[in-house]
Amino acid sequence: MFKKIRDKINTATQQATARGEQDFQRHAAQFQREAAAQGHDIRPQLPTLGMVSHGFGTMTDDPAMAEFLALPGEEQLRQQREVNAYGQNLRRLYESGEPATAVIRTLEPTGTAVAGQLQYTSAIDVTRADGTTYQTTITHLVPTMAFSQYTPGTKHEARIDPADPANVGVFGLVD
């Protein structure tokens, strides 16, 4: 009796593992195609036991990441696309935006996490290179590990979108 139950569990585990690997390969191929369309050569790999162990350790430390990892694969992929678009905007601003500085005045949680990163709105004071200033509000992702760098009163390197001054990228701290 015990042997039959054990054999059924082993068979079910092997089948689930095979399905999981197939799902991963399908999602990895889709991600790789999307990355290639944007000029990136990314080759996702099936997680190793060490990666999985580290991932589960991280889950217990960061509730937003645990919630993200518990989502269905399609929703994870959608959120990853959202994070990629956010990152592409930041890169574009950094490369072609008008240099400025920004002082964070508020940091309010939106109640949303995207791919395990918490989203906040911040009122900021922006100072252009010519010394003129204005205020705007941005929505940004703040990784848990970098939270203290975005507290009210902190001054940052920033870039302003020439086409939309309300679109400001906030980067590293400025002394």
Side-chain angles (χ1 to χ4, degrees):
M1 173 93 167
F2 175 74
K3 186 177 182 308
K4 284 184 180 182
I5 293 172
R6 185 191 67 207
D7 289 345
K8 284 183 180 185
I9 290 172
N10 286 341
T11 301
T13 301
Q14 290 170 351
Q15 290 171 348
T17 300
R19 280 193 309 272
E21 188 171 335
Q22 289 170 351
D23 285 348
F24 173 82
Q25 295 300 341
R26 183 172 43 86
H27 289 296
Q30 183 178 355
F31 178 75
Q32 190 173 11
R33 283 190 302 275
E34 290 176 12
Q38 297 174 17
H40 304 288
D41 182 21
I42 297 174
R43 299 177 192 276
Q45 68 180 40
L46 193 61
T48 64
L49 185 57
M51 293 166 81
V52 171
S53 175
H54 179 24
F56 281 116
T58 302
M59 278 185 5
T60 60
D61 295 340
D62 186 353
M65 184 56 73
E67 188 176 319
F68 171 68
L69 293 173
L71 294 171
E74 296 298 326
E75 177 59 16
Q76 286 184 21
L77 194 57
R78 186 199 67 74
Q79 287 190 24
Q80 191 59 48
R81 285 188 194 114
E82 187 176 339
V83 168
N84 288 345
Y86 173 78
Q88 288 170 354
N89 181 56
L90 284 179
R91 181 189 310 194
R92 181 185 62 78
L93 287 172
Y94 192 80
E95 291 173 352
S96 62
E98 175 189 337
T101 58
V103 176
I104 306 256
R105 292 294 169 212
T106 63
L107 184 67
E108 301 293 329
T110 65
T112 301
V114 182
Q117 296 185 49
L118 298 177
Q119 186 182 64
Y120 293 84
T121 57
S122 289
I124 59 173
D125 294 335
V126 180
T127 304
R128 290 186 145 114
D130 67 6
T132 60
T133 63
Y134 66 96
Q135 293 181 336
T136 192
T137 301
I138 62 171
T139 301
H140 54 135
L141 298 175
V142 179
T144 303
M145 293 177 64
F147 181 81
S148 65
Q149 295 178 14
Y150 292 90
T151 56
T154 55
K155 185 176 182 179
H156 296 261
E157 176 184 2
R159 296 286 194 276
I160 304 167
D161 186 337
D164 179 9
N167 186 11
V168 178
V170 175
F171 299 97
L173 286 169
V174 175
D175 294 328

